[in-house]
Amino acid sequence: MSGRVRILRLPVLAAVLALLLLPLAAPVARADGPAVKLSASQAGTGGSITVSGGGWRSHTLLMMLICGRSTPSRGVIGGTNSCANGDGRAVTTGSDGSFTKKLPVAEPPVPCPCVVHVATVTGPMAEADAVFQVAGHPVAPLPAETSGGRLSILSDTRLTGSGSLLTWFGAPPSRTLVFTVGNSGSAAIKDPVFRVGTAHGVFAPQWDEQQWRGTLAPGRRAQIKLPVELSAAAHGDYTVSLQYDGRVLAEQPWGVGRPWGVTLFWILLCLVVPAAVFRAGMAVVDRVRPRRPGGVRHRRLARPALLPLRSRTPGPRPEPTPTLPWFTPDSAPGDPAGRLSAPHDDSPTSPTTPTTKGPT
């Protein structure tokens, strides 16, 4: 009986032991979205804090900033204009999506409440904030929210559309910014006004306000499309930013190709204009230079004299003059001017017969 009890207890003990060791053996579950932790919640200017995080995409470039007039619930009001941009730091996440980096403490250009704002630089937009207090920095209440609604990005932003032949020749490139937002607040949002900014390289973005016509009820979502247009002949790496109620909701990179048609035009212009100027200059020189003696300006080659055409009227042909090897041209037979031939007998008689001369 005791043996059976021991046999029954072994599976129960094994199950209990497995349940106790399961949390230790299981890998650390990834948090629901990116997270940020600070080594200290308060520090003075000139010091530094250690910022660590997890739940980010692997091998992603992040930017860390100390921003004022912001809370984790409302985000950074005013965007990066409320942050100490000159003292920010960049860090790249590891293969597991975590990072650790020291950040110098600097005063933001606006009053606290402050946060340490961490956001992605490239790829899909992701951000996280941690509450931080800059010692000695003034504190002011946050501006009141305009409504009880709160917009949040529910999908990655993307740029749709493509260029045309006119863009290849310098026309302004244009795209459509597509994203999905949701209302996580307690009141409806009617006709929200977004700010779309385009930044080239390290320059500050140029903002353009665009209003979306519609009403977004609490808990509802909607897909929004906003046009984005650059200046003429723009090319290079651009960043399109989306802002609402002072918060940057998303950022999307945009690589714009070079308008090679404009380059081709300038190359042809550099070839055609000098050639036209050269021809005009040669024409002016030909006009103003003095004439040569005889009034001939240009040296021309003499044309060969044209032979008179033979008459096609039938007529008596001259008799050909016989030419023999022992006659000169002026003493041919039948020529009364003279003969230079060998002597011969012109007697009309028949040829003589030889005679025998007898003795006398």
Side-chain angles (χ1 to χ4, degrees):
M1 186 69 178
S2 61
R4 291 183 178 178
V5 173
R6 291 178 181 177
I7 293 175
L8 293 175
R9 287 179 179 178
L10 288 177
V12 176
L13 293 176
V16 173
L17 184 62
L19 292 175
L20 293 176
L21 295 178
L22 183 61
L24 300 178
V28 178
R30 184 172 179 177
D32 186 13
V36 177
K37 294 182 180 180
L38 306 178
S39 61
S41 60
Q42 181 176 354
T45 305
S48 62
I49 57 174
T50 301
V51 183
S52 59
W56 300 83
R57 297 191 308 274
S58 60
H59 306 292
T60 302
L61 182 62
L62 306 177
M63 176 60 70
M64 303 186 303
L65 298 170
I66 295 179
C67 304
R69 195 182 296 167
S70 54
T71 59
S73 60
R74 294 189 59 179
V76 181
I77 300 175
T80 55
N81 293 331
S82 303
C83 305
N85 298 312
D87 296 286
R89 292 293 183 268
V91 63
T92 303
T93 60
S95 58
D96 58 349
S98 62
F99 70 92
T100 300
K101 182 79 172 182
K102 284 191 174 182
L103 177 66
V105 178
E107 293 185 356
V110 294
C112 285
C114 300
V115 297
V116 173
H117 180 71
V118 182
T120 56
V121 178
T122 58
M125 181 65 181
E127 59 184 8
D129 299 327
V131 178
F132 181 72
Q133 178 64 38
V134 179
H137 193 64
V139 179
L142 296 177
E145 292 186 287
T146 56
S147 65
R150 176 180 172 82
L151 285 180
S152 59
I153 294 291
L154 301 181
S155 67
D156 294 338
T157 58
R158 67 182 187 274
L159 293 172
T160 61
S162 59
S164 61
L165 183 62
L166 296 178
T167 306
W168 200 71
F169 282 95
S174 61
R175 294 291 188 273
T176 301
L177 182 64
V178 182
F179 56 95
T180 302
V181 297
N183 184 2
S184 58
S186 59
I189 300 176
K190 183 178 180 180
D191 299 337
V193 178
F194 296 92
R195 298 184 67 196
V196 179
T198 54
H200 181 46
V202 298
F203 296 97
Q206 297 180 356
W207 298 98
D208 180 26
E209 291 188 355
Q210 299 185 23
Q211 187 175 22
W212 180 73
R213 298 291 181 179
T215 302
L216 195 61
R220 308 289 297 197
R221 63 175 61 188
Q223 187 182 62
I224 298 177
K225 299 180 179 180
L226 301 177
V228 183
E229 184 174 295
L230 302 178
S231 59
H235 63 277
D237 295 330
Y238 285 80
T239 301
V240 180
S241 303
L242 178 66
Q243 191 180 84
Y244 175 75
D245 195 20
R247 296 185 302 114
V248 178
L249 300 181
E251 290 182 348
Q252 179 68 30
W254 182 10
V256 184
R258 182 181 295 273
W260 292 107
V262 179
T263 305
L264 180 61
F265 169 78
W266 284 110
I267 292 176
L268 294 178
L269 188 64
C270 292
L271 295 176
V272 172
V273 171
V277 172
F278 175 77
R279 291 181 64 88
M282 294 301 297
V284 172
V285 170
D286 186 57
R287 288 278 186 181
V288 301
R289 69 179 179 178
R291 295 187 178 183
R292 294 183 179 181
V296 179
R297 292 187 180 181
H298 301 284
R299 185 177 181 181
R300 302 179 181 271
L301 297 177
R303 296 182 179 179
L306 300 177
L307 298 176
L309 299 177
R310 294 182 179 181
S311 176
R312 296 185 179 181
T313 305
R317 296 183 178 179
E319 296 182 359
T321 304
T323 58
L324 298 177
W326 56 84
F327 293 108
T328 60
D330 55 350
S331 61
D335 188 1
R339 300 177 181 176
L340 295 178
S341 60
H344 59 279
D345 188 8
D346 294 334
S347 175
T349 60
S350 61
T352 60
T353 58
T355 57
T356 304
K357 190 176 180 180
T360 55

